[in-house]
Amino acid sequence: MRECFLIDAIRTPRGRLSRPKKNFVGELANVHPTTLGAILADAIVDRNPGLPSEKIEDLIYATTIAVKEQAQDIARWIVLASKLPVTVSGVHLNRFCSGALQANAFANASIRVGDYDAVLAGGGEHMNRVPMGSDRNDPDRLPITPEIRKKYCIVPQGVSAELIAEKYNISQDEINAFSVDSQKKAHAATEAGKFKNEIIPIPYMDAHGEQKVLDRDTHINPETTIEKVNALPRPFKENGLIHAAASSGICDGASMALWVSEDIARRYNLKPRARVVSVANWGVDPKEMLDGVIPGTQLALKRAGLKLDQIDRFEINEAFASVPLAWMKTLNVSKEKVNVNGGAIAMGHPLGSTGGILLATLINELERENLRYGLITLCAAQGMSGTMIIERIQ
């Protein structure tokens, strides 16, 4: 089996959801999702000039809502919209929230078995132009059959978040504290410039027709307090625990990474930054659809031959606060190692792109702190999870 290396991992800033009633237009609302992906593909080429772009063979790209401007094979449209040569193919996949992580896993595996030498992988979600639910416009023509509904209780993710909080005996105080802490950490990391190496600035037109550039995540609210979040309504359950501030933000964003074989890295003098140690996907009952990150993590560790205390940093997607809290409580992992720069509660969760965003954040954190191993895990709809362990190349 050949060696495969991560050479670069980048992302867009995350732009906010438009609020028409407040006359607010999200920063990336008028930037086409294909354009977001093309900007990142071009940035990869520009940041790695030693690699001839014609050596890149494919682009593996994920979205969760694969309709409207994210329909058809958006990966190929991104290639055609970018400076990549026409010889680069493209494939579009969907594993819901863990889609971009899966795209990167497929890139790594394909290179290791010899199918490719250089691949781009990532994902995007434009939640302004392709809102959640856009792929469910016709309730009579869904893939959920009556037989499935007889076997499983299909619930919204917010309801599942409440069930996870109850199952793992997570308190309101824990949820509120975690939610506020995510905002504080994300704000501190942004002000310290910790995301600069991973963020590619995106030009956009604001509501007044002025040309601007977005170079940071705008969903962060550092003024959040325990008192403010505790006063929010509980939409998923009467007298529940999960509120908007304990939920991932709806936003626009994209991610992209470059993977190459050892031979290509050597031939073109590319500096390897990391390699994949193991990957795991896991399924659970869709009623508790956010629960798969725990067994998924355990399987990834087993495959890697590693123990939890050997992992230096963890990126657990903050779909809802109850997910990382349940994960930390069950696996007995210190919060000092988890989401040290904040997470999706503060910065937003552009669904299909987030796995790639976490990859970019994690490799930069490992390099900055001179650490070795990192683990990413995300829950995904319909009771799935995706997990990846990477090792920084020192």
Side-chain angles (χ1 to χ4, degrees):
M1 189 91 53
R2 301 194 309 173
E3 186 66 274
C4 175
F5 294 126
L6 173 66
I7 302 300
D8 207 355
I10 58 176
R11 66 178 180 91
T12 68
R14 284 167 276 201
R16 289 172 288 181
L17 188 68
S18 296
R19 306 287 185 185
K21 291 182 179 179
K22 294 185 177 181
N23 199 31
F24 171 74
V25 178
E27 294 87 358
L28 301 180
N30 295 316
V31 183
H32 198 286
T34 297
T35 301
L36 288 180
I39 289 172
L40 293 185
D42 289 347
I44 287 275
V45 172
D46 292 341
R47 282 164 56 116
N48 300 277
L51 178 66
S53 59
E54 61 267 21
K55 294 297 180 181
I56 299 172
E57 298 163 82
D58 210 348
L59 192 162
I60 307 171
Y61 200 78
T63 68
T64 293
I65 313 297
V67 297
K68 298 185 177 181
E69 288 102 324
Q70 293 178 171
Q72 301 183 7
D73 183 354
I74 190 175
R76 178 58 175 171
W77 292 119
I78 288 171
V79 170
L80 297 178
S82 73
K83 64 175 68 172
L84 291 168
V86 73
T87 52
V88 180
S89 192
V91 60
H92 183 192
L93 66 87
N94 186 352
R95 203 190 278 277
F96 297 116
C97 298
S98 64
L101 193 69
Q102 186 62 67
N104 282 282
F106 279 158
N108 168 72
S110 297
I111 289 173
R112 293 198 69 199
V113 300
D115 287 344
Y116 295 122
D117 286 312
V119 181
L120 293 179
E125 208 74 48
H126 205 299
M127 302 178 79
N128 272 295
R129 299 175 76 100
V130 191
M132 285 192 293
S134 297
D135 54 351
R136 299 171 64 94
N137 286 341
D138 187 349
D140 296 323
R141 299 178 68 88
L142 295 175
I144 309 172
T145 64
E147 290 76 18
I148 292 173
R149 295 191 184 276
K150 286 180 182 179
K151 288 176 66 178
Y152 300 106
C153 179
I154 308 299
V155 300
Q157 284 199 347
V159 173
S160 182
E162 290 280 7
L163 291 170
I164 296 302
E166 181 179 349
K167 177 178 179 179
Y168 292 96
N169 195 28
I170 297 168
S171 71
Q172 186 71 76
D173 287 345
E174 289 176 298
I175 286 172
N176 291 347
F178 185 91
S179 303
V180 171
D181 200 33
S182 180
Q183 299 283 355
K184 303 294 185 187
K185 290 189 291 186
H187 176 68
T190 299
E191 293 304 305
K194 290 186 177 181
F195 301 127
K196 282 189 175 180
N197 190 48
E198 65 194 66
I199 287 180
I200 302 302
I202 305 294
Y204 72 99
M205 194 83 72
D206 71 7
H208 305 291
E210 295 183 19
Q211 191 71 33
K212 294 189 175 181
V213 174
L214 184 66
D215 62 1
R216 60 166 56 196
D217 301 306
T218 53
H219 197 273
I220 304 169
N221 182 8
E223 304 304 318
T224 300
T225 65
I226 296 290
E227 293 73 25
K228 288 179 180 179
V229 302
N230 199 46
L232 294 170
R234 310 301 195 267
F236 306 115
K237 179 184 177 183
E238 187 176 356
N239 299 317
L241 304 178
I242 305 299
H243 42 62
S247 311
S248 53
I250 299 171
C251 62
D252 306 322
S255 60
M256 194 79 70
L258 171 63
W259 298 87
V260 304
S261 66
E262 184 175 13
D263 177 65
I264 289 290
R266 185 183 300 111
R267 188 186 312 172
Y268 295 104
N269 197 30
L270 303 173
K271 182 182 177 182
R273 298 176 66 187
R275 69 180 185 91
V276 173
V277 182
S278 70
V279 171
N281 289 289
W282 195 271
V284 297
D285 189 311
K287 185 177 180 181
E288 297 180 347
M289 71 179 80
L290 312 177
D291 209 12
V293 292
I294 296 169
T297 294
Q298 293 168 327
L299 178 58
L301 288 165
K302 181 180 178 181
R303 285 180 171 166
L306 295 171
K307 296 181 179 180
L308 269 170
D309 60 8
Q310 291 178 271
I311 307 298
D312 300 298
R313 290 288 184 269
F314 299 91
E315 289 291 339
I316 318 300
N317 187 39
E318 297 173 2
F320 299 90
S322 54
V323 178
L325 284 168
W327 184 94
M328 287 188 287
K329 180 173 287 191
T330 303
L331 300 178
N332 193 28
V333 176
S334 168
K335 67 178 183 179
E336 279 70 34
K337 285 188 172 185
V338 177
N339 299 2
V340 297
N341 297 310
I345 285 174
M347 293 177 280
H349 172 30
L351 304 183
S353 72
T354 300
I357 291 174
L358 297 183
L359 176 64
T361 298
L362 180 59
I363 184 55
N364 279 283
E365 175 67 15
L366 294 178
E367 290 172 342
R368 190 164 43 246
E369 299 298 326
N370 193 27
L371 301 173
R372 185 175 182 182
Y373 291 115
L375 182 147
I376 302 163
T377 190
L378 305 92
C379 57
Q382 298 181 9
M384 298 188 293
S385 73
T387 304
M388 177 184 287
I389 297 175
I390 65 169
E391 178 183 16
R392 181 176 70 91
I393 305 298
Q394 302 183 48

Coordinates of all heavy atoms in Angstrom, one line a residue, residues 252-326:
D252 N -23.0 29.9 5.3 CA -22.4 29.4 4.0 C -21.0 29.2 4.2 O -20.3 29.9 4.9 CB -22.6 30.5 2.9 CG -24.1 31.0 2.7 OD1 -25.0 30.1 2.8 OD2 -24.3 32.2 2.5
G253 N -20.4 28.2 3.5 CA -19.0 27.9 3.5 C -18.6 26.8 2.7 O -19.4 26.0 2.2
A254 N -17.2 26.6 2.5 CA -16.7 25.6 1.7 C -15.3 25.2 2.2 O -14.6 26.0 2.8 CB -16.7 25.9 0.2
S255 N -14.8 24.0 1.8 CA -13.5 23.6 2.2 C -12.8 22.8 1.1 O -13.5 22.3 0.2 CB -13.5 22.7 3.5 OG -14.3 21.6 3.2
M256 N -11.5 22.8 1.1 CA -10.8 22.1 0.0 C -9.4 21.6 0.5 O -8.7 22.4 1.3 CB -10.6 23.0 -1.2 CG -10.1 22.2 -2.5 SD -11.5 21.4 -3.3 CE -12.4 22.8 -3.9
A257 N -9.0 20.4 0.2 CA -7.7 19.9 0.6 C -7.0 19.2 -0.6 O -7.6 18.8 -1.5 CB -7.8 18.9 1.7
L258 N -5.6 19.2 -0.6 CA -4.8 18.6 -1.6 C -4.1 17.4 -1.0 O -3.4 17.5 0.0 CB -3.8 19.6 -2.2 CG -2.7 19.0 -3.1 CD1 -3.3 18.5 -4.4 CD2 -1.7 20.1 -3.4
W259 N -4.4 16.2 -1.7 CA -3.7 15.0 -1.3 C -2.9 14.5 -2.4 O -3.3 14.5 -3.6 CB -4.8 13.9 -0.9 CG -5.6 14.3 0.2 CD1 -6.8 15.0 0.2 CD2 -5.4 13.9 1.6 NE1 -7.3 15.2 1.5 CE2 -6.5 14.5 2.4 CE3 -4.5 13.2 2.3 CZ2 -6.6 14.3 3.7 CZ3 -4.6 13.0 3.7 CH2 -5.6 13.6 4.4
V260 N -1.7 14.0 -2.1 CA -0.8 13.4 -3.2 C -0.1 12.2 -2.7 O 0.0 11.9 -1.5 CB 0.3 14.5 -3.6 CG1 -0.4 15.8 -4.1 CG2 1.3 14.7 -2.5
S261 N 0.4 11.4 -3.6 CA 1.2 10.2 -3.3 C 2.6 10.6 -2.9 O 3.0 11.8 -3.1 CB 1.3 9.3 -4.5 OG 2.1 10.0 -5.6
E262 N 3.3 9.7 -2.2 CA 4.6 10.0 -1.8 C 5.5 10.3 -3.0 O 6.4 11.2 -2.9 CB 5.2 8.8 -1.0 CG 6.6 9.0 -0.4 CD 7.0 7.8 0.4 OE1 6.4 6.8 0.3 OE2 8.0 8.0 1.2
D263 N 5.3 9.7 -4.1 CA 6.2 9.9 -5.2 C 6.0 11.3 -5.8 O 6.9 12.0 -6.1 CB 5.8 8.9 -6.3 CG 6.6 9.1 -7.6 OD1 7.9 9.0 -7.6 OD2 6.0 9.5 -8.6
I264 N 4.7 11.8 -5.8 CA 4.4 13.1 -6.3 C 5.0 14.2 -5.4 O 5.6 15.2 -5.8 CB 2.9 13.3 -6.5 CG1 2.4 12.5 -7.7 CG2 2.6 14.8 -6.7 CD1 2.8 13.0 -9.1
A265 N 4.9 13.9 -4.1 CA 5.4 14.9 -3.1 C 6.9 15.0 -3.3 O 7.5 16.1 -3.2 CB 5.1 14.4 -1.7
R266 N 7.6 13.9 -3.5 CA 9.1 13.9 -3.6 C 9.4 14.6 -5.0 O 10.3 15.4 -5.0 CB 9.6 12.5 -3.6 CG 11.1 12.4 -3.6 CD 11.7 11.0 -3.6 NE 11.2 10.3 -2.4 CZ 10.4 9.3 -2.4 NH1 9.8 8.9 -3.5 NH2 10.0 8.7 -1.3
R267 N 8.7 14.2 -6.0 CA 9.1 14.7 -7.4 C 8.9 16.2 -7.5 O 9.8 16.8 -8.2 CB 8.3 14.0 -8.4 CG 8.7 14.2 -9.9 CD 7.7 13.6 -10.9 NE 7.4 12.3 -10.6 CZ 6.4 11.6 -11.2 NH1 5.7 12.2 -12.2 NH2 6.2 10.3 -10.9
Y268 N 7.9 16.7 -6.9 CA 7.6 18.2 -7.0 C 8.0 19.0 -5.8 O 7.5 20.1 -5.7 CB 6.2 18.4 -7.5 CG 5.9 17.8 -8.8 CD1 5.2 16.6 -9.0 CD2 6.4 18.4 -10.0 CE1 5.0 16.0 -10.2 CE2 6.2 17.8 -11.2 CZ 5.5 16.6 -11.3 OH 5.3 16.1 -12.6
N269 N 8.7 18.3 -4.9 CA 9.2 19.0 -3.7 C 8.1 19.7 -2.9 O 8.2 20.8 -2.5 CB 10.3 20.1 -4.1 CG 11.1 20.6 -2.9 OD1 11.4 19.8 -2.0 ND2 11.5 21.8 -2.9
L270 N 7.0 18.9 -2.7 CA 5.9 19.3 -1.9 C 6.1 18.9 -0.4 O 6.6 17.8 -0.2 CB 4.6 18.7 -2.4 CG 4.3 19.0 -3.9 CD1 3.0 18.2 -4.3 CD2 4.0 20.5 -4.1
K271 N 5.8 19.8 0.5 CA 6.0 19.5 1.9 C 4.8 18.8 2.5 O 3.7 19.4 2.7 CB 6.3 20.7 2.7 CG 6.5 20.5 4.2 CD 6.8 21.8 4.9 CE 7.0 21.5 6.4 NZ 7.1 22.8 7.2
P272 N 4.9 17.5 2.9 CA 3.8 16.8 3.5 C 3.5 17.4 4.9 O 4.4 17.6 5.7 CB 4.2 15.3 3.6 CG 5.4 15.2 2.7 CD 6.0 16.6 2.6
R273 N 2.2 17.6 5.2 CA 1.8 18.1 6.5 C 1.2 17.1 7.4 O 1.3 17.2 8.6 CB 0.8 19.3 6.2 CG 1.4 20.5 5.5 CD 0.4 21.5 5.2 NE -0.1 22.2 6.4 CZ -1.1 23.1 6.4 NH1 -1.7 23.4 5.3 NH2 -1.4 23.7 7.6
A274 N 0.5 16.1 6.8 CA -0.1 15.1 7.6 C -0.4 13.9 6.8 O -0.4 13.9 5.6 CB -1.4 15.6 8.3
R275 N -0.7 12.8 7.5 CA -1.2 11.6 6.8 C -2.4 11.0 7.6 O -2.5 11.3 8.8 CB -0.1 10.5 6.7 CG 0.3 9.9 8.1 CD 1.4 8.9 7.9 NE 1.7 8.2 9.1 CZ 1.1 7.1 9.6 NH1 0.2 6.5 8.8 NH2 1.5 6.5 10.7
V276 N -3.2 10.2 7.0 CA -4.4 9.6 7.6 C -3.9 8.4 8.3 O -3.3 7.5 7.7 CB -5.5 9.3 6.6 CG1 -6.6 8.5 7.3 CG2 -6.1 10.6 6.1
V277 N -4.2 8.2 9.6 CA -3.9 7.0 10.4 C -5.1 6.0 10.3 O -4.8 4.8 10.1 CB -3.6 7.4 11.8 CG1 -3.2 6.1 12.6 CG2 -2.5 8.4 11.9
S278 N -6.3 6.5 10.4 CA -7.5 5.6 10.3 C -8.7 6.4 10.1 O -8.8 7.6 10.3 CB -7.6 4.8 11.6 OG -8.1 5.6 12.7
V279 N -9.7 5.7 9.5 CA -11.0 6.3 9.2 C -12.1 5.3 9.7 O -11.9 4.1 9.6 CB -11.2 6.5 7.7 CG1 -12.6 6.9 7.4 CG2 -10.2 7.6 7.2
A280 N -13.2 5.8 10.2 CA -14.3 4.9 10.6 C -15.6 5.6 10.3 O -15.8 6.8 10.6 CB -14.2 4.6 12.1
N281 N -16.6 4.9 9.8 CA -18.0 5.3 9.7 C -18.8 4.4 10.5 O -18.6 3.2 10.6 CB -18.4 5.3 8.2 CG -17.7 6.4 7.5 OD1 -18.0 7.6 7.6 ND2 -16.8 6.0 6.6
W282 N -19.8 5.0 11.2 CA -20.7 4.2 12.1 C -22.1 4.6 12.0 O -22.4 5.8 11.8 CB -20.2 4.4 13.6 CG -20.7 3.3 14.5 CD1 -21.9 3.4 15.2 CD2 -20.1 2.1 14.8 NE1 -22.0 2.3 16.0 CE2 -20.9 1.4 15.8 CE3 -18.9 1.5 14.5 CZ2 -20.7 0.2 16.3 CZ3 -18.6 0.2 15.0 CH2 -19.5 -0.4 15.9
G283 N -23.0 3.6 12.2 CA -24.4 3.9 12.1 C -25.1 3.5 13.4 O -24.7 2.6 14.1
V284 N -26.1 4.3 13.8 CA -26.9 4.1 15.0 C -28.4 4.3 14.7 O -28.7 4.7 13.6 CB -26.5 5.0 16.2 CG1 -25.1 4.8 16.6 CG2 -26.7 6.5 15.8
D285 N -29.2 3.9 15.6 CA -30.7 4.2 15.4 C -30.9 5.6 15.1 O -30.5 6.5 15.8 CB -31.4 3.8 16.7 CG -32.9 3.8 16.5 OD1 -33.5 4.7 16.0 OD2 -33.6 2.8 16.9
P286 N -31.7 5.9 14.0 CA -31.9 7.3 13.6 C -32.6 8.2 14.6 O -32.5 9.4 14.5 CB -32.6 7.2 12.3 CG -33.2 5.8 12.3 CD -32.3 5.0 13.0
K287 N -33.3 7.5 15.6 CA -33.9 8.3 16.6 C -32.9 9.0 17.5 O -33.1 10.2 17.9 CB -34.8 7.5 17.5 CG -35.6 8.2 18.5 CD -36.5 7.3 19.3 CE -37.3 8.1 20.3 NZ -38.2 7.2 21.1
E288 N -31.7 8.3 17.7 CA -30.6 8.9 18.4 C -29.5 9.2 17.4 O -28.3 8.8 17.7 CB -30.2 8.0 19.5 CG -31.3 7.7 20.6 CD -30.9 6.8 21.7 OE1 -29.8 6.1 21.5 OE2 -31.6 6.8 22.7
M289 N -29.8 9.9 16.4 CA -28.9 10.0 15.2 C -27.6 10.7 15.5 O -26.6 10.6 14.7 CB -29.6 10.7 14.1 CG -29.8 12.2 14.3 SD -30.6 13.0 13.0 CE -32.3 12.6 13.2
L290 N -27.5 11.4 16.6 CA -26.2 12.1 16.9 C -25.3 11.3 17.8 O -24.2 11.8 18.2 CB -26.6 13.4 17.7 CG -27.7 14.2 17.0 CD1 -28.1 15.4 17.9 CD2 -27.4 14.6 15.6
D291 N -25.6 10.1 18.1 CA -24.9 9.2 19.0 C -23.7 8.5 18.4 O -22.9 7.9 19.2 CB -25.9 8.2 19.6 CG -25.5 7.8 21.0 OD1 -24.7 8.5 21.6 OD2 -26.1 6.9 21.6
G292 N -23.6 8.5 17.1 CA -22.6 7.6 16.5 C -21.1 8.0 16.7 O -20.2 7.3 16.4
V293 N -20.9 9.3 17.1 CA -19.5 9.8 17.3 C -18.8 9.0 18.3 O -17.5 8.9 18.3 CB -19.5 11.3 17.6 CG1 -20.0 12.1 16.4 CG2 -20.3 11.6 18.8
I294 N -19.5 8.4 19.3 CA -18.8 7.7 20.4 C -18.3 6.3 19.9 O -17.1 6.1 20.0 CB -19.7 7.5 21.6 CG1 -20.0 8.9 22.2 CG2 -19.1 6.6 22.7 CD1 -21.2 8.9 23.2
P295 N -19.1 5.4 19.3 CA -18.6 4.2 18.8 C -17.7 4.4 17.6 O -16.7 3.7 17.4 CB -19.8 3.4 18.4 CG -20.9 4.3 18.3 CD -20.6 5.4 19.3
G296 N -17.9 5.5 16.8 CA -17.1 5.8 15.7 C -15.7 6.1 16.1 O -14.7 5.7 15.5
T297 N -15.6 6.9 17.2 CA -14.3 7.2 17.7 C -13.5 6.0 18.2 O -12.3 5.8 18.0 CB -14.4 8.3 18.9 OG1 -14.9 9.5 18.4 CG2 -13.1 8.5 19.6
Q298 N -14.3 5.1 18.9 CA -13.7 3.9 19.5 C -13.2 3.0 18.4 O -12.1 2.4 18.5 CB -14.7 3.2 20.3 CG -15.0 4.0 21.6 CD -16.2 3.4 22.3 OE1 -17.2 2.9 21.7 NE2 -16.3 3.5 23.7
L299 N -13.9 2.9 17.3 CA -13.5 2.1 16.1 C -12.2 2.7 15.5 O -11.3 2.0 15.1 CB -14.6 1.9 15.1 CG -14.3 1.1 13.9 CD1 -13.8 -0.3 14.2 CD2 -15.5 1.1 12.9
A300 N -12.2 4.0 15.3 CA -11.1 4.7 14.6 C -9.8 4.5 15.5 O -8.7 4.2 14.9 CB -11.3 6.2 14.4
L301 N -9.9 4.6 16.8 CA -8.8 4.3 17.7 C -8.3 2.9 17.6 O -7.1 2.6 17.5 CB -9.2 4.7 19.1 CG -9.3 6.1 19.4 CD1 -10.1 6.3 20.8 CD2 -8.0 6.9 19.5
K302 N -9.2 1.9 17.6 CA -8.9 0.5 17.4 C -8.1 0.3 16.1 O -7.1 -0.4 16.1 CB -10.1 -0.3 17.5 CG -9.9 -1.8 17.4 CD -11.2 -2.6 17.5 CE -10.9 -4.1 17.4 NZ -12.2 -4.9 17.5
R303 N -8.6 0.8 15.0 CA -8.0 0.6 13.7 C -6.6 1.3 13.7 O -5.7 0.8 13.0 CB -8.8 1.2 12.6 CG -10.0 0.3 12.3 CD -10.9 0.9 11.2 NE -11.9 0.0 10.8 CZ -13.0 0.3 10.1 NH1 -13.1 1.5 9.7 NH2 -13.8 -0.6 9.7
A304 N -6.4 2.4 14.4 CA -5.2 3.1 14.4 C -4.2 2.5 15.4 O -3.0 2.8 15.3 CB -5.4 4.6 14.8
G305 N -4.6 1.6 16.3 CA -3.8 1.1 17.3 C -3.3 2.1 18.3 O -2.2 2.0 18.9
L306 N -4.2 3.1 18.6 CA -3.9 4.2 19.5 C -4.9 4.2 20.7 O -6.0 3.7 20.5 CB -4.0 5.5 18.8 CG -3.0 5.8 17.7 CD1 -3.3 7.0 16.9 CD2 -1.6 5.9 18.2
K307 N -4.5 4.8 21.7 CA -5.4 5.1 22.9 C -5.8 6.5 22.9 O -5.1 7.4 22.4 CB -4.7 4.7 24.2 CG -4.4 3.2 24.2 CD -3.7 2.8 25.6 CE -3.5 1.3 25.6 NZ -2.8 0.9 26.9
L308 N -6.9 6.8 23.6 CA -7.4 8.2 23.7 C -6.3 9.2 24.2 O -6.2 10.3 23.7 CB -8.6 8.3 24.6 CG -10.0 8.1 23.9 CD1 -11.1 7.9 25.0 CD2 -10.3 9.2 23.0
D309 N -5.5 8.8 25.2 CA -4.6 9.7 25.7 C -3.4 10.0 24.8 O -2.6 10.9 25.1 CB -4.1 9.2 27.1 CG -3.4 7.9 27.1 OD1 -3.1 7.4 25.9 OD2 -3.1 7.3 28.1
Q310 N -3.3 9.3 23.7 CA -2.3 9.6 22.7 C -2.7 10.6 21.7 O -1.9 11.2 20.9 CB -1.9 8.3 21.9 CG -1.2 7.3 22.8 CD -0.9 6.0 22.0 OE1 -1.7 5.1 21.9 NE2 0.3 6.0 21.4
I311 N -4.0 10.9 21.7 CA -4.5 12.0 20.8 C -4.4 13.3 21.4 O -4.8 13.6 22.5 CB -6.0 11.7 20.4 CG1 -6.2 10.3 19.9 CG2 -6.5 12.7 19.4 CD1 -5.5 10.0 18.6
D312 N -3.7 14.2 20.7 CA -3.4 15.5 21.3 C -4.5 16.6 21.2 O -4.6 17.4 22.0 CB -2.1 16.1 20.6 CG -0.9 15.2 20.8 OD1 -0.5 15.0 21.9 OD2 -0.4 14.6 19.7
R313 N -5.3 16.5 20.1 CA -6.4 17.4 19.9 C -7.5 16.7 19.2 O -7.4 15.9 18.4 CB -5.9 18.6 19.0 CG -5.0 19.6 19.7 CD -5.6 20.4 20.7 NE -4.7 21.4 21.3 CZ -4.0 21.2 22.4 NH1 -4.0 20.0 23.0 NH2 -3.2 22.2 22.8
F314 N -8.7 17.1 19.7 CA -10.0 16.6 19.1 C -10.8 17.7 18.5 O -10.9 18.8 19.1 CB -10.8 15.9 20.2 CG -10.1 14.7 20.9 CD1 -9.3 14.9 22.0 CD2 -10.2 13.4 20.4 CE1 -8.7 13.9 22.6 CE2 -9.6 12.4 21.0 CZ -8.8 12.6 22.1
E315 N -11.4 17.5 17.4 CA -12.4 18.4 16.8 C -13.7 17.6 16.7 O -13.9 16.7 15.8 CB -11.9 18.9 15.4 CG -10.8 19.8 15.4 CD -11.2 21.2 16.0 OE1 -12.4 21.5 16.0 OE2 -10.2 21.9 16.4
I316 N -14.6 17.9 17.6 CA -15.9 17.2 17.6 C -16.9 18.2 17.1 O -17.2 19.3 17.7 CB -16.3 16.8 19.1 CG1 -15.1 16.2 19.8 CG2 -17.5 15.9 19.1 CD1 -14.5 15.0 19.2
N317 N -17.6 17.9 16.0 CA -18.5 18.9 15.4 C -19.6 19.2 16.4 O -20.3 18.4 16.9 CB -19.1 18.4 14.1 CG -19.9 19.5 13.5 OD1 -19.5 20.7 13.5 ND2 -21.0 19.2 12.9
E318 N -19.8 20.5 16.6 CA -20.8 21.0 17.6 C -22.2 21.2 16.9 O -22.7 22.3 16.8 CB -20.4 22.3 18.2 CG -19.1 22.2 19.0 CD -18.6 23.6 19.5 OE1 -19.2 24.6 19.2 OE2 -17.5 23.6 20.1
A319 N -22.7 20.1 16.4 CA -24.1 20.1 15.8 C -25.0 20.7 16.8 O -25.8 21.6 16.5 CB -24.5 18.7 15.3
F320 N -24.9 20.1 18.0 CA -25.6 20.6 19.2 C -24.7 20.4 20.4 O -23.9 19.5 20.4 CB -26.9 19.9 19.4 CG -27.9 20.0 18.3 CD1 -28.0 19.1 17.3 CD2 -28.9 21.1 18.3 CE1 -28.9 19.3 16.2 CE2 -29.8 21.2 17.3 CZ -29.8 20.3 16.2
A321 N -24.8 21.2 21.4 CA -23.9 21.1 22.6 C -23.9 19.7 23.2 O -22.9 19.3 23.7 CB -24.2 22.2 23.6
S322 N -25.1 19.1 23.2 CA -25.2 17.8 23.8 C -24.3 16.7 23.2 O -23.9 15.7 23.8 CB -26.6 17.3 23.8 OG -27.2 17.3 22.5
V323 N -23.9 16.9 21.9 CA -23.1 15.9 21.2 C -21.7 15.8 21.8 O -21.2 14.8 22.3 CB -23.1 16.1 19.7 CG1 -22.2 15.1 19.0 CG2 -24.5 16.1 19.1
P324 N -20.9 16.9 21.7 CA -19.5 16.8 22.3 C -19.6 16.6 23.8 O -18.6 16.0 24.4 CB -18.9 18.2 22.0 CG -20.0 19.1 21.6 CD -21.1 18.2 21.1
L325 N -20.6 17.1 24.5 CA -20.7 16.9 26.0 C -20.9 15.4 26.3 O -20.2 14.9 27.2 CB -21.8 17.7 26.6 CG -21.6 19.2 26.7 CD1 -22.8 20.0 27.1 CD2 -20.5 19.5 27.8
A326 N -21.7 14.7 25.5 CA -21.9 13.3 25.7 C -20.7 12.5 25.4 O -20.3 11.6 26.1 CB -23.1 12.8 24.9

